[in-house]
Amino acid sequence: MSIQAMNTSLNNNRKQMPNRDRFKNRLGGYNRNEKTEYNLPKANAKQLKDISRRLKEEHKSRMLKIIVLTVILFFGLLLTFLYSSDGIIELLTY
């Protein structure tokens, strides 16, 4: 990056600084003084344990699916390579 390109970029960014306040309040905006409030339901220990157990089961099943799919794709690519290598060897031997 040349020095001139750097200076141009800095000047363009400096020119956009006054416009920054206009874009601040787009799509809901952002106010540093306003604290976001969440209305989350209370959960007891049993519910939290159930949620934890369910998430662990979902993670296990997802990992199993990923591993099975990876193994299937690996063997598919391996068979494709072996099949194509036999054809290449036959072409080279004739």
Side-chain angles (χ1 to χ4, degrees):
M1 180 183 226
S2 68
I3 300 296
Q4 182 59 37
M6 182 183 68
N7 286 337
T8 303
S9 176
L10 287 172
N11 286 334
N12 288 338
N13 289 340
R14 201 172 291 125
K15 288 176 188 175
Q16 291 178 357
M17 287 294 284
N19 298 333
R20 189 168 156 225
D21 290 333
R22 278 192 304 178
F23 295 118
K24 228 182 219 185
N25 295 323
R26 294 265 189 211
L27 298 174
Y30 175 73
N31 187 358
R32 291 179 192 223
N33 299 328
E34 186 178 315
K35 184 170 171 83
T36 305
E37 294 182 16
Y38 298 102
N39 188 10
L40 299 175
K42 300 291 183 190
N44 58 23
K46 183 181 183 300
Q47 289 173 329
L48 293 176
K49 283 182 184 179
D50 289 342
I51 292 170
S52 174
R53 181 184 48 78
R54 190 173 68 230
L55 286 175
K56 286 178 184 177
E57 289 176 2
E58 288 176 4
H59 180 70
K60 277 184 186 180
S61 66
R62 185 177 299 135
M63 285 305 294
L64 181 64
K65 289 176 186 176
I66 290 172
I67 290 171
V68 167
L69 183 65
T70 303
V71 168
I72 290 171
L73 288 174
F74 174 74
F75 280 121
L77 289 173
L78 184 65
L79 289 174
T80 303
F81 176 73
L82 291 175
Y83 179 75
S84 65
S85 66
D86 286 342
I88 292 172
I89 290 172
E90 288 180 15
L91 287 174
L92 294 176
T93 55
Y94 288 118

